[in-house]
């Protein structure tokens, strides 16, 4: 609501800028703008094609202008080249490329939305299908027993080991859900760089921030296990050694320094095929569910997920893996080079022929004004296609993944609160977002989630669960009374 109100004020004051609510924003943020006006959009520079085409247009104006003055001086034209279909054909080719790029842009937006919807659904179903013990049962049935306004503390007396185990597993589930989103962000940031063999300073800076976010949700050992799949891409492999695996406070101080990003140098990375971080993290997420599956015959984990529901989670996990692969395909599959080469070659040749279209008897506007508008239009369409071909980059019109991750974190906290589980809610803590990162988001993202045990211990804790863990010794094979059907039949 605050964001919408601020956008409304900006529109009303005709002061809307290309980067949303932050006037000094840089980086990848999606541009929102009112469509019912003219002047608020015409007099803009950031986020428009002029950022990449202004100097080309001025160069063509100077080139054509010199030729026009020369023709005026001689009193004759360079050639009597009549209007032809070359311009129309070139416009068709460029518009086709722009439409293809926009299709990729819309496909990327759809994939990103579906990915985060699947991730949200995974979290919701995981929380609901881990029923827990007596306290969780009483909380779910509070309306049936006539206590709809009851607080979670009123049922704490019924807490047993099953409830404590479920609190631990739910906390593990939610943190891995957030880590999956961050791993997706790391992958999208790095994929384009992997194709050319180098990560630029800005991409490296943002990748390091996502890695730090993952470190805030994992132990040092867990982070080392995950991060080796990222750092192994560096050439040489020790080129990415840094402080992220150490103390959290010292690492966080890096992002409070506005000059730290400019001090980074490009990083050479290997393009060889190897396992990527999202695949590892998706496996870790699915393992949380599988290890808590309650065998229908053995009844060995009555607090856990009923076995027949595992296919739901496996399906969601597969959809997310497919979404990551499709996003990778969008980034790594540009327009076929022959088509790109043809467009650029014809465009360059057409601009070289501009002086041949000059007819001094038609006057200044027909020879300079129209050709200038034609050049600006053709260059603009070409620039739009280039801008939209990789929607996951760092340009002003690219998709804002920071906002998607922040939205997921808000939902995770809400879902945790709906379980009436104070121990679960205690495991996650909000931390303030550094200004250098917050200004890259179109939404006012001010905080991010972290593991309380890691924050309170400055990354020293070897456990992501703060508090005493439950006793799991009695949760072994077989039912609670120790009996197992000899034939392991499905009869019940």
């Amino acid at each position: 609501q605050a964001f919408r109100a601020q956008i409304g004020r900006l529109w009303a004051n005709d002061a809307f800028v290309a980067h949303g609510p932050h006037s000094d924003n840089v980086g990848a943020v999606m541009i929102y703008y009112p469509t019912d006006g003219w002047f608020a959009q015409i007099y803009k520079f950031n986020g428009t094609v002029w950022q990449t085409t202004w100097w080309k247009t001025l160069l063509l104006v100077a080139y054509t202008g010199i030729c026009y003055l020369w023709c005026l001086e001689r009193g004759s034209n360079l050639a009597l080249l009549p209007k032809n279909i070359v311009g129309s054909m070139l416009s068709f080719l460029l518009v086709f490329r722009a439409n293809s790029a926009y299709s990729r842009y819309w496909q990327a937006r759809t994939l990103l939305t579906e990915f985060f919807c699947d991730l949200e659904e995974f979290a919701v179903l995981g929380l609901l299908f881990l029923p827990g013990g007596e306290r969780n049962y009483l909380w779910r049935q509070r309306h049936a027993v006539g206590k709809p306004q009851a607080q979670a503390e009123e049922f704490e007396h019924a807490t047993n080991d099953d409830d404590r185990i479920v609190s631990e597993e739910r906390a593990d589930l939610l943190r891995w859900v957030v880590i999956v989103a961050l791993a997706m962000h790391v992958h999208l940031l790095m994929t384009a760089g992997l194709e050319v063999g180098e990560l630029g300073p800005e991409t490296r800076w943002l990748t390091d921030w996502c890695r730090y976010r993952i470190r805030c949700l994992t132990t040092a050992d867990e982070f080392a296990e995950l991060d080796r799949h990222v750092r192994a891409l560096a050439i040489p492999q020790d080129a990415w050694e840094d402080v992220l695996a150490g103390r959290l406070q010292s690492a966080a101080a890096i992002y409070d320094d506005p000059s730290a990003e400019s001090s980074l140098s490009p990083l050479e990375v290997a393009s060889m095929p190897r396992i990527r971080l999202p695949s590892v993290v998706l496996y870790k997420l699915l393992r949380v569910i599988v290890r808590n599956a309650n065998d229908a015959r053995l009844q060995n984990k009555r607090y856990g997920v009923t076995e027949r529901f595992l296919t739901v989670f496996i399906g969601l996990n597969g959809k997310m893996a497919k979404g990551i692969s499709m996003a990778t395909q969008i980034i790594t599959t540009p327009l076929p080079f022959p088509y790109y080469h043809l467009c650029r070659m014809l465009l360059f040749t057409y601009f070289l022929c501009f002086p041949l279209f000059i007819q001094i008897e038609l006057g200044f506007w027909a020879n300079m004004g129209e050709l200038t508008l034609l050049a600006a239009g053709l260059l603009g369409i070409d620039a739009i296609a280039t801008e939209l071909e990789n929607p996951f980059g760092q340009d002003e019109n690219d998709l804002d993944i920071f906002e998607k991750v922040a939205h997921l974190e808000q939902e995770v906290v809400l879902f945790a609160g709906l379980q009436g589980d104070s121990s679960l809610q205690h495991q996650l803590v909000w931390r303030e977002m550094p200004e250098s990162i917050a200004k890259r988001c179109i939404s006012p993202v001010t905080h991010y989630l972290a593991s309380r045990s890691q924050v309170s211990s400055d990354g020293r804790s070897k456990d992501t669960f703060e508090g005493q863990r439950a006793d799991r010794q009695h949760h072994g094979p077989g039912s609670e009374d120790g009996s197992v059907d000899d034939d392991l039949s499905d009869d019940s």
Side-chain angles (χ1 to χ4, degrees):
Q1 291 176 350
F3 168 62
R4 291 177 180 175
Q6 188 170 3
I7 291 295
R9 290 193 297 270
L10 288 170
W11 287 356
N13 296 332
D14 195 24
F16 183 72
V17 295
H19 299 287
H22 300 285
S23 59
D24 58 345
N25 267 12
V26 293
V29 290
M30 194 172 182
I31 298 176
Y32 292 97
Y33 58 93
T35 58
D36 56 352
W38 281 71
F39 297 103
Q41 287 78 47
I42 291 177
Y43 300 106
K44 297 298 178 186
F45 183 79
N46 289 338
T48 68
V49 296
W50 289 113
Q51 287 185 294
T52 56
T53 64
W54 68 269
W55 64 272
K56 302 173 189 175
T57 304
L58 289 180
L59 186 63
L60 284 171
V61 169
Y63 169 63
T64 308
I66 292 174
C67 294
Y68 177 65
L69 292 176
W70 187 79
C71 290
L72 287 177
E73 184 70 21
R74 292 180 64 245
S76 63
N77 300 322
L78 290 174
L80 293 176
L81 191 65
K83 298 292 183 181
N84 52 65
I85 64 170
V86 175
S88 301
M89 179 191 68
L90 189 56
S91 299
F92 174 80
L93 291 174
L94 292 176
V95 169
F96 180 82
R97 182 189 172 205
N99 284 336
S100 176
Y102 182 73
S103 297
R104 293 157 62 93
Y105 186 88
W106 186 252
Q107 182 186 15
R109 180 64 185 262
T110 303
L111 284 174
L112 201 61
T113 301
E114 290 179 350
F115 177 84
F116 279 91
C117 285
D118 291 337
L119 198 52
E120 173 192 336
E121 186 175 358
F122 198 104
V124 172
L125 295 180
L127 293 172
L128 294 178
F129 287 175
L130 284 169
E134 182 67 19
R135 182 189 58 77
N136 279 276
Y137 175 80
L138 293 175
W139 172 256
R140 291 192 300 271
Q141 298 297 320
R142 65 188 184 280
H143 293 275
V145 299
K147 295 183 177 182
Q149 304 299 325
Q151 300 298 316
E153 291 76 11
E154 298 182 34
F155 304 108
E156 288 296 332
H157 66 279
T159 302
N160 56 23
D161 282 341
D162 285 349
D163 294 306
R164 297 185 185 95
I165 292 175
V166 163
S167 295
E168 298 171 10
E169 297 300 335
R170 286 173 174 171
D172 215 28
L173 170 71
L174 294 184
R175 74 183 181 96
W176 281 113
V177 163
V178 178
I179 292 173
V180 167
L182 295 170
M184 171 72 157
H185 198 177
V186 169
H187 180 70
L188 295 179
L189 286 168
M190 295 185 62
T191 299
L194 291 174
E195 292 301 302
V196 298
E198 183 181 89
L199 295 183
E202 183 183 15
T203 302
R204 183 178 177 182
W205 169 260
L206 296 176
T207 301
D208 283 344
W209 167 250
C210 293
R211 291 171 59 223
Y212 172 74
R213 290 286 321 277
I214 294 175
R215 174 64 184 92
C216 290
L217 291 164
T218 57
T219 65
D221 292 338
E222 285 178 329
F223 178 74
E225 180 185 357
L226 297 176
D227 196 50
R228 64 188 179 91
H229 299 289
V230 177
R231 290 187 293 107
L233 298 171
I235 300 177
Q237 291 197 0
D238 60 352
W240 216 334
E241 296 294 342
D242 49 33
V243 299
L244 293 183
R247 301 292 171 252
L248 298 185
Q249 294 298 331
S250 56
I254 299 175
Y255 298 96
D256 294 326
D257 182 6
S259 63
E261 179 181 357
S262 59
S263 64
L264 290 176
S265 59
L267 179 69
E268 184 180 0
V269 291
S271 301
M272 67 182 68
R274 60 182 302 139
I275 189 170
R276 304 304 186 198
L277 180 61
S279 301
V280 179
V281 178
L282 281 175
Y283 168 78
K284 296 278 190 180
L285 176 62
L286 185 59
R287 192 174 67 174
V288 175
I289 299 297
V290 173
R291 74 178 181 223
N292 288 286
N294 182 31
D295 192 292
R297 294 167 295 179
L298 302 181
Q299 289 295 306
N300 55 338
K301 296 177 182 177
R302 293 186 175 179
Y303 63 85
V305 180
T306 303
E307 189 179 25
R308 65 177 178 271
F309 295 135
L310 288 182
T311 55
V312 177
F313 295 96
I314 294 172
L316 288 173
N317 196 275
K319 285 181 63 179
M320 288 186 284
K322 182 180 178 180
I324 293 172
S325 298
M326 292 300 295
T328 305
Q329 175 181 298
I330 291 174
I331 298 174
T332 59
T333 310
L335 193 72
F337 180 72
Y339 193 96
Y340 175 85
H341 175 264
L342 178 65
C343 290
R344 289 295 172 92
M345 181 189 68
L346 291 178
L347 194 63
F348 180 75
T349 305
Y350 189 63
F351 289 151
L352 283 181
C353 294
F354 267 15
L356 303 181
F357 297 118
I358 294 176
Q359 300 180 40
I360 56 176
E361 61 273 11
L362 297 180
F364 177 82
W365 171 254
N367 291 289
M368 289 298 299
E370 290 185 0
L371 290 180
T372 298
L373 293 178
L374 178 61
L378 294 177
L379 288 172
I381 295 174
D382 183 68
I384 290 172
T386 303
E387 178 95 358
L388 298 182
E389 279 183 337
N390 179 13
F392 301 111
Q394 307 306 316
D395 300 321
E396 285 86 350
N397 292 286
D398 290 332
L399 302 175
D400 184 12
I401 305 179
F402 285 104
E403 185 268 339
K404 290 286 188 182
V405 175
H407 183 71
L408 177 69
E409 290 176 318
Q410 295 287 343
E411 292 176 332
V412 162
V413 172
L414 173 64
F415 299 150
L418 294 177
Q419 308 310 307
D421 190 341
S422 58
S423 179
L424 170 62
Q425 298 175 55
H426 181 72
Q427 303 308 316
L428 298 173
V429 61
W430 289 107
R431 301 191 73 189
E432 186 174 357
M433 184 79 76
E435 179 62 25
S436 60
I437 303 297
K439 68 182 182 180
R440 298 175 183 270
C441 313
I442 188 171
S443 302
V445 179
T446 58
H447 293 79
Y448 64 92
L449 277 184
S451 169
R452 186 179 296 274
S453 68
Q454 295 302 307
V455 171
S456 60
S457 66
D458 196 20
R460 295 181 176 87
S461 176
K462 296 185 179 298
D463 196 351
T464 55
F465 188 86
E466 187 168 79
Q468 184 176 1
R469 286 195 174 265
D471 180 17
R472 303 194 183 205
Q473 293 183 357
H474 69 284
H475 291 285
S479 59
E480 290 192 351
D481 59 3
S483 62
V484 180
D485 294 338
D486 292 335
D487 59 355
L488 298 180
S489 67
D490 290 329
D491 297 336
S492 61

